[in-house]
Amino acid sequence: MSKYKSLKEECYEANMELNALGLVIYTFGNVSAVDRDNGVFAIKPSGVPYKKLKPSDMVILDYDNVIVEGDLRPSSDTKTHSYLYKNWENIGGVAHTHAMYSVSWAQAQRDIPIFGTTHADHLTQDIPCAAPMADDLIEGNYEHNTGIQILDCFSSRNLDYNEVEMVLIGNHGPFAWGKNAAKAVYNTKVLETVAEMAYLTLQINPNAPRLKDSLIKKHYERKHGKNAYYGQ
Amino acid sequence: MSKYKSLKEECYEANMELNALGLVIYTFGNVSAVDRDNGVFAIKPSGVPYKKLKPSDMVILDYDNVIVEGDLRPSSDTKTHSYLYKNWENIGGVAHTHAMYSVSWAQAQRDIPIFGTTHADHLTQDIPCAAPMADDLIEGNYEHNTGIQILDCFSSRNLDYNEVEMVLIGNHGPFAWGKNAAKAVYNTKVLETVAEMAYLTLQINPNAPRLKDSLIKKHYERKHGKNAYYGQ
Amino acid sequence: MSKYKSLKEECYEANMELNALGLVIYTFGNVSAVDRDNGVFAIKPSGVPYKKLKPSDMVILDYDNVIVEGDLRPSSDTKTHSYLYKNWENIGGVAHTHAMYSVSWAQAQRDIPIFGTTHADHLTQDIPCAAPMADDLIEGNYEHNTGIQILDCFSSRNLDYNEVEMVLIGNHGPFAWGKNAAKAVYNTKVLETVAEMAYLTLQINPNAPRLKDSLIKKHYERKHGKNAYYGQ
Amino acid sequence: MSKYKSLKEECYEANMELNALGLVIYTFGNVSAVDRDNGVFAIKPSGVPYKKLKPSDMVILDYDNVIVEGDLRPSSDTKTHSYLYKNWENIGGVAHTHAMYSVSWAQAQRDIPIFGTTHADHLTQDIPCAAPMADDLIEGNYEHNTGIQILDCFSSRNLDYNEVEMVLIGNHGPFAWGKNAAKAVYNTKVLETVAEMAYLTLQINPNAPRLKDSLIKKHYERKHGKNAYYGQ
């Protein structure tokens, strides 16, 4: 029996949840889960429909994309996942989708402004939309370079991946992460919801103001601050 | 056995209905139900997923937010609920959500104009959007002050909470209430529906006129007036 | 046993279908079915939730709104239905809803332009939006006068109710009819679909042209003309 | 037993999938599947509701629209299907629907711009919207001429049906095809998804730029190029 059985199961469950939440059609998404002790992560195999997916189909790789276990080809976006795991040591899961509203903001090449408390309950910043990559980066090691693009975006904007657990890649779509795969999926759903709310807000009032700082701080702190009183 | 068993069940059922109606994702909402004879109310515990929720998880508090019964932390919005119960003696239930269209109007900081009979079947006024609170109120006893903000909004506009059973808090989202918890949930769904209709109406015709007074009166009266002929 | 048992069942099934198609929330709609031989029609009782509805709850009335059989109060919109049955002898069923896109066009007080073949498969005209009624008609016998308003709209525009089986009442919502109750529900769903398509079309291209006459004629005739070749 | 049993089953399954994916209401769509060895194709019968449809109901015709087997009248759009089979020898299935967003772009008479990688994962071109036909073509052999219109559109724009497996007919709706009926349905769903994304993108940013060539090439090639690494 595989020593990665529970890791594969965590990864499998998170992928199935992505589908159950309506965030993917066909095979347009992938979730991975990391095992920091063993320096490996599990990821969805490429192009396998959800209804045929089994926990044992998950592919195990190290952070240099060497397959450690698994008979199937891993997700075509694997190198973006591994780059994030290698560089961001606190994250435990990564999710990528082509969810409708997130993709539409990415195609519009716009950051999602922080308009309300639903957003501030999760992060204090606009959701960043990284610029499309330079041609040579696209033509080169594309998925690896997508990881670089994400880190460059966070670096140039002084964003902390421990707080901002989501990003849009211009013209492509969202990546989200978190302490484990389930949290990465949760953040993907939150991003999609906030993206739809921001879209509708601008339709109703093109001059809708950004959320004021005091409300941003209050809502973020009551859920994530040291005196947080949300949850059990 | 708890003397509040039936109160907890009413509260539990209303929270589950909120979820079944598609008005919440994850734990983004809460409903409470009051027991006027005993001066207490039941409310959803904070951050507990709907599929794990049990009637016995509901927390019982008095109007000063003292926990009377329950092992879990109550909803982080509890003080807004208690403030409404304390000040509005006729209401029996309160609901709060981050439902999509209601939140979008709140983020746009706009009242929802009364455009049609679906709206007038339930109230004769535009649905008010209370302004975001002053910074010191946000930084202080925030959820309590949210209750104050709602009452100030109703007072300054001469609105009667017995007729207008819903409000938007600017940049945040909707609160609704009614004679019991089920009615509060019903009003939340009506508000979300009317919010979507008003959004679409303005997309189709940015100059859509307000509903004329005679139609407002006719539709409201046939359902709520002393000669009402709607229902059994 | 009631002599109207099968009429009640037809009416009940059509009302339940309205709900199953997502055209109503709560009790925001009603369907009736006529028995021309006996000069009566069956209609949904007022304000009864769909999950509690039984065929035997349907109320039987004559065209002058006298209750012939039934213990419950009929739909508050009954007099509009009876007026249509009395004046339009070919129709066998009527449906009224507050469906989202149909209501939004009604609130925008705009006819739905014929933009494509989905529309032309069912009628050759823009879907008319009747103007809101004069105040004295609203304050008077409102639901009866709604029927008059529909007929006035058809008369002033030279529309034939045998072809145009649907209408919007300004600021209110849609009525649809047909050879029986099921067809009235079908037309309600078609209207809602065409209303959403027309809304999206104008968002994509505010100058979208009306469908050309040759295409209107071709699509309508291949389904409804004397040489129709659609269906079995 | 029919020699076309498996062809009918392929066709039946694809039609049912169209319905399961929410791409059709009522009977507003049809899928066909070809048997190149026998020079025939199976197609949905006209106007038969999905819940009554059986595999044995599928109609078998040759490319000149002569019925080879079947008791029911074939889809009214049959001649468009046969024209495509006759002229495009590599295709194995064709699907036609009145899906919401695809129809709305068709009614707007606009090509769907390539805005992102979801689009580029499937084709490198804008999705073409063929102009509505000339009046004499509409009044003549309409469905046959619709096929001509599609081929003229591809010819005048130098498009290859092996790569661009979808088209919008102005004022009407989408046709899609592929190596078999299931792929035609898949392409119909992809088209509908891309149509909704493009609509939302333009709402968020009316000046959203077309996807850059390097990204178009990278995404198309990684899935369809000779060094493709997507899928198993």
Side-chain angles (χ1 to χ4, degrees), chain B residues 101-190:
Chain B
Y101 290 88
S102 304
V103 164
S104 298
W105 281 91
Q107 293 189 159
Q109 297 190 13
R110 288 207 168 168
D111 299 347
I112 302 177
I114 184 166
F115 281 135
T117 60
T118 318
H119 189 138
D121 281 337
H122 297 91
L123 67 164
T124 67
Q125 309 292 323
D126 293 354
I127 296 167
C129 180
M133 286 182 267
D135 286 352
D136 59 330
L137 294 180
I138 291 169
E139 287 152 12
N141 196 354
Y142 174 62
E143 293 82 6
H144 177 82
N145 293 341
T146 299
I148 294 177
Q149 189 77 353
I150 293 172
L151 263 73
D152 282 354
C153 171
F154 271 60
S155 165
S156 68
R157 299 181 186 213
N158 287 316
L159 296 176
D160 178 355
Y161 76 88
N162 291 293
E163 186 209 314
V164 179
E165 297 185 317
M166 54 192 73
V167 71
L168 302 173
I169 309 291
N171 290 126
H172 188 167
F175 279 84
W177 49 87
K179 67 179 175 186
N180 54 34
K183 187 71 193 303
V185 171
Y186 171 91
N187 283 330
T188 301
K189 179 69 174 176
V190 167

Side-chain angles (χ1 to χ4, degrees), chain A residues 90-146:
Chain A
N90 295 339
I91 64 174
V94 174
H96 168 57
T97 71
H98 288 241
M100 186 59 68
Y101 290 88
S102 304
V103 164
S104 298
W105 280 91
Q107 293 190 160
Q109 296 189 14
R110 290 208 167 167
D111 299 346
I112 302 177
I114 183 166
F115 282 134
T117 61
T118 319
H119 189 137
D121 281 337
H122 297 91
L123 67 164
T124 67
Q125 310 292 322
D126 293 354
I127 296 167
C129 180
M133 287 183 266
D135 287 353
D136 59 330
L137 295 179
I138 291 168
E139 286 152 12
N141 197 354
Y142 174 63
E143 292 82 7
H144 177 83
N145 294 340
T146 299

Side-chain angles (χ1 to χ4, degrees), chain C residues 150-222:
Chain C
I150 294 172
L151 263 72
D152 281 355
C153 171
F154 271 59
S155 164
S156 67
R157 300 181 185 213
N158 286 316
L159 297 176
D160 178 354
Y161 75 89
N162 292 293
E163 186 210 315
V164 179
E165 297 184 317
M166 54 193 72
V167 71
L168 301 174
I169 309 292
N171 290 126
H172 187 167
F175 279 84
W177 50 88
K179 67 180 175 184
N180 54 33
K183 187 72 193 304
V185 170
Y186 171 92
N187 283 329
T188 301
K189 178 70 174 177
V190 167
L191 167 52
E192 179 68 2
T193 302
V194 167
E196 185 174 355
M197 285 174 174
Y199 157 72
L200 291 169
T201 299
L202 287 177
Q203 296 288 314
I204 297 169
N205 183 359
N207 300 311
R210 200 169 181 274
L211 189 62
K212 55 201 267 183
D213 286 344
S214 57
L215 262 175
I216 293 174
K217 190 174 175 204
K218 169 56 75 172
H219 268 265
Y220 190 74
E221 294 293 327
R222 78 175 191 162

Side-chain angles (χ1 to χ4, degrees), chain C residues 17 21 101 115-119 121-122 182 185-187 189-190 192-194 196-201 203-206 208-212 214-215 218-219 222-223 228-232, chain D residues 25-28 45-48 51 71-74 76-77 96 98-101 103-105 107-110 132-135 138-143 170-173 195 199 202-203:
Chain C
E17 177 75 356
L21 288 168
Y101 290 88
F115 281 134
T117 60
T118 319
H119 189 137
D121 280 337
H122 297 92
V185 170
Y186 171 92
N187 283 329
K189 178 70 174 177
V190 167
E192 179 68 2
T193 302
V194 167
E196 185 174 355
M197 285 174 174
Y199 157 72
L200 291 169
T201 299
Q203 296 288 314
I204 297 169
N205 183 359
R210 200 169 181 274
L211 189 62
K212 55 201 267 183
S214 57
L215 262 175
K218 169 56 75 172
H219 268 265
R222 78 175 191 162
K223 207 160 174 178
Y229 49 93
Y230 185 93
Q232 302 299 324
Chain D
I25 60 164
Y26 296 118
T27 59
F28 298 6
S46 183
V48 177
K51 58 184 148 186
D71 301 321
L72 298 170
R73 188 188 284 178
S76 56
D77 296 307
H96 168 58
H98 287 242
M100 186 60 66
Y101 290 87
V103 164
S104 298
W105 280 91
Q107 293 190 159
Q109 296 190 15
R110 289 207 167 168
M133 287 183 266
D135 286 353
I138 292 168
E139 286 151 11
N141 197 353
Y142 175 63
E143 292 82 6
N171 290 126
H172 188 167
Y199 156 72
L202 287 176
Q203 296 288 314

Side-chain angles (χ1 to χ4, degrees), chain C residues 87-106:
Chain C
N87 286 278
W88 287 348
E89 59 185 16
N90 294 341
I91 66 174
V94 174
H96 169 57
T97 71
H98 287 242
M100 185 61 65
Y101 290 88
S102 305
V103 163
S104 298
W105 280 91

